[in-house]
Amino acid sequence: MASPASQYDVLIIGAGLSGLAAGIRLAHYEKRVAILERHTTIGGLNSFYQLRGRRHDVGLHAVTNFRPPTLKPLGPLAKLLRQLRISWDEFDLKPQCGSRVVMPGADLRFTNDFERLQSDVTERFPEQVDGFNKLDAAAMAADTFDESPGFLPSRDRVREFITDPLLEDLLFAPVLFYGSPTPHDCDWRQFAILWRALYREGFGRPHDGVKPILKTLVRRYKALGGDLWLRHGVKEIRSSGGKTVGVTLDDGTEIDAPHVLSSAGLPQTAELAGDAAELPTDPGPLSFVESISVLDRPAGELGYDDTVTFYSTRDPRTGDRFRYANPEEPCDLTSGIACSPDNYQYDEPHAEGCLRLTVLANPQYWAGLEPDVYQDEKARWHAAALDAGRDFGVLPDLTGAEAGRVLDTDVFTPKTITRFTGHPNGAVYGSATKLRDGRTGLDGLHVIGTDQGYLGIVGAMLSGVSIANRLLT
């Protein structure tokens, strides 16, 4: 059986999007690179799996920063494709039909045309239009590549421009749900990144989900001579005299390299490096329960037309603010994200429909459940979340006579996320602390991915590319 070489220029821990992108960039410049992945498949938090004869995506709601190739090639996605030497057609992204954010008293629609959101704000919040435009200008002017440490609160900055609490929460809900590891708020640089990604540019998706993106990345990486080793977990990052010297695998094999890029997250990287790197170990408090319902027809035929819906049943105008925090109950049914992979502008529809629903969850509750009650609790809270979304008018009725429309269901929890990614607490967005420059304090060891502070699918890949570029200079 083939095995990794004993020495490389760079070792990458994790075959997620950031690791694959970093590997491509380094291999393009003829660095000898190996990606080491503990699990049996690629993708990390954005992967796919087979269940009862169907393939499901993990993590992918939408690819942000969508700009069609007919427009001037600007923005993060165009930059990423240039850096990876990948053509637009290889990702095969199709634009969204349209998304919205809904709360009692108002909703806002947004598409890949920013004027749609501007129009809704003008119509529903005419007294806030000037502040909204100034907020847009501030977000677009923000230095999102600022690597200085510390947390810059977004709520305080946004309130310089927006005085209506309902509009504030409407604008924050997609931003927080799509990438914040911090309860109720996010760093201003993250806010600016997501403002551009969600509102200024928008959503796209391949017809076949995340698989063609991952396959394209792996094909490109291997064509450049990179090694990819699945079922090869890292037990230790070795160092000597304050410098990285390599890793030890789970089976005791030692591989030497002067550079290691870790997409494992800050707590895991800290554990692997031991006392050689002084890293934050907070795992991040926020996690989710998500369900996938396979339908006998496209979701639009059942009354769900949005690409993504961010919603909250709480009314900010009465002081009942949108809550983005770890709930005390197993799941927070007052808010959520619904989406359908059907609702993109594909050339051909899917053979079966799909509806996904995501709600905030209590990681400690789900981690502590005994096996004999775990499945029952997943089913119970899935049904409760669907009912809450239906009662609020966001989701179609999938009960009673309509229950037969659901052909299959899968539900995953914080416990599932921890099992398959190693992230403590099932923390999808990682630690609340971010190492924006990727430096760990140990020479040769860099963090890439979620805990570098880049967000979403495009952000994860740009994280890997940015650190790879630093090693090349």
Side-chain angles (χ1 to χ4, degrees):
M1 178 181 291
S3 60
S6 61
Q7 188 165 7
Y8 290 88
D9 296 319
V10 185
L11 295 172
I12 299 173
I13 301 174
L17 291 167
S18 61
L20 290 168
I24 291 171
R25 188 67 177 162
L26 292 163
H28 178 80
Y29 285 93
E30 300 182 350
K31 298 295 183 181
R32 195 175 189 196
V33 187
I35 298 175
L36 304 167
E37 171 59 57
R38 173 168 282 122
H39 295 288
T40 59
T41 190
I42 57 175
L45 287 167
N46 291 282
S47 189
F48 57 90
Y49 64 99
Q50 294 287 136
L51 182 68
R52 294 183 284 272
R54 294 181 172 89
R55 190 179 76 236
H56 300 297
D57 281 346
V58 178
L60 175 66
H61 293 87
V63 177
T64 59
N65 304 102
F66 179 90
R67 284 179 66 90
T70 52
L71 296 180
K72 191 174 181 180
L74 300 172
L77 179 56
K79 176 182 178 181
L80 176 69
L81 294 174
R82 288 195 302 271
Q83 294 273 302
L84 298 180
R85 273 50 169 195
I86 291 174
S87 72
W88 172 271
D89 293 339
E90 289 180 271
F91 278 5
D92 191 32
L93 296 175
K94 303 300 181 184
Q96 66 170 321
C97 294
S99 298
R100 63 182 177 137
V101 52
V102 186
M103 293 182 185
D107 68 338
L108 296 175
R109 293 190 176 272
F110 56 99
T111 65
N112 294 355
D113 182 353
F114 184 64
E115 290 183 358
R116 177 56 198 261
L117 178 60
Q118 285 180 311
S119 174
D120 272 18
V121 171
T122 300
E123 178 182 342
R124 293 163 173 75
F125 300 92
E127 75 287 353
Q128 298 289 305
V129 171
D130 183 58
F132 174 82
N133 290 332
K134 289 179 179 177
L135 172 59
D136 174 54
M140 295 303 291
D143 180 7
T144 57
F145 295 101
D146 173 15
E147 295 182 344
S148 60
F151 182 80
L152 307 176
S154 292
R155 290 281 188 179
D156 293 346
R157 190 67 193 277
V158 170
R159 286 168 184 163
E160 296 176 16
F161 310 104
I162 303 297
T163 58
D164 188 312
L166 176 55
L167 179 57
E168 178 189 329
D169 279 2
L170 284 166
L171 294 174
F172 261 100
V175 169
L176 298 182
F177 267 130
Y178 209 86
S180 176
T182 306
H184 305 304
D185 204 349
C186 66
D187 185 89
W188 170 246
R189 291 159 290 192
Q190 289 181 303
F191 182 93
I193 289 171
L194 286 167
W195 181 274
R196 301 174 193 186
L198 303 176
Y199 299 140
R200 270 289 182 172
E201 294 174 346
F203 296 153
R205 186 182 187 276
H207 182 275
D208 294 331
V210 76
K211 183 176 180 178
I213 295 176
L214 290 170
K215 294 296 186 183
T216 296
L217 295 174
V218 170
R219 184 169 57 248
R220 177 73 176 150
Y221 175 64
K222 289 186 174 181
L224 292 167
D227 285 347
L228 172 61
W229 300 100
L230 303 179
R231 302 183 184 90
H232 284 70
V234 173
K235 180 171 66 176
E236 179 188 9
I237 298 170
R238 295 182 293 111
S239 62
S240 177
K243 295 184 178 182
T244 302
V245 297
V247 304
T248 303
L249 302 184
D250 290 338
D251 65 2
T253 300
E254 292 189 350
I255 306 175
D256 294 336
H259 298 284
V260 174
L261 308 185
S262 174
S263 65
L266 283 178
Q268 302 93 311
T269 304
E271 183 177 350
L272 293 173
D275 295 336
E278 296 181 2
L279 296 175
T281 58
D282 60 301
L286 293 166
S287 192
F288 302 88
V289 163
E290 179 160 303
S291 64
I292 300 172
S293 299
V294 180
L295 310 174
D296 69 349
R297 62 197 61 204
E301 294 184 17
L302 296 176
Y304 184 77
D305 299 317
D306 295 338
T307 300
V308 185
T309 314
F310 303 88
Y311 67 91
S312 171
T313 63
R314 302 166 78 92
D315 188 346
R317 285 182 168 166
T318 66
D320 190 21
R321 301 299 297 267
F322 161 57
R323 182 175 63 191
Y324 183 77
N326 198 9
E328 293 183 4
E329 58 271 22
C331 293
D332 184 349
L333 303 183
T334 70
S335 65
I337 316 166
C339 74
S340 175
D342 307 332
N343 295 335
Y344 288 81
Q345 298 175 37
Y346 300 127
D347 297 329
E348 300 205 359
H350 291 129
E352 295 177 332
C354 181
L355 183 67
R356 296 175 62 167
L357 179 60
T358 308
V359 295
L360 286 154
N362 183 324
Q364 288 74 35
Y365 174 81
W366 291 99
L369 287 177
E370 296 297 328
D372 59 337
V373 300
Y374 179 64
Q375 295 298 329
D376 289 342
E377 283 296 272
K378 287 205 299 184
R380 181 166 77 92
W381 283 97
H382 162 64
L386 283 177
D387 288 346
R390 178 203 62 205
D391 293 345
F392 189 55
V394 169
L395 300 179
D397 186 0
L398 297 176
T399 62
E402 299 299 317
R405 304 292 186 202
V406 181
L407 304 178
D408 198 7
T409 300
D410 193 31
V411 180
F412 50 92
T413 73
K415 188 173 184 175
T416 319
I417 296 166
T418 297
R419 177 185 174 190
F420 287 102
T421 69
H423 284 221
N425 276 353
V428 173
Y429 300 134
S431 172
T433 302
K434 303 300 181 188
L435 297 185
R436 300 187 183 282
D437 61 3
R439 293 187 172 93
T440 64
L442 175 61
D443 189 14
L445 174 62
H446 286 80
V447 169
I448 59 175
T450 300
D451 280 344
Q452 193 200 345
Y454 286 68
L455 305 163
I457 287 177
V458 173
M461 289 187 278
L462 281 174
S463 167
V465 168
S466 70
I467 298 301
N469 286 341
R470 178 170 294 157
L471 298 188
L472 292 168
T473 57

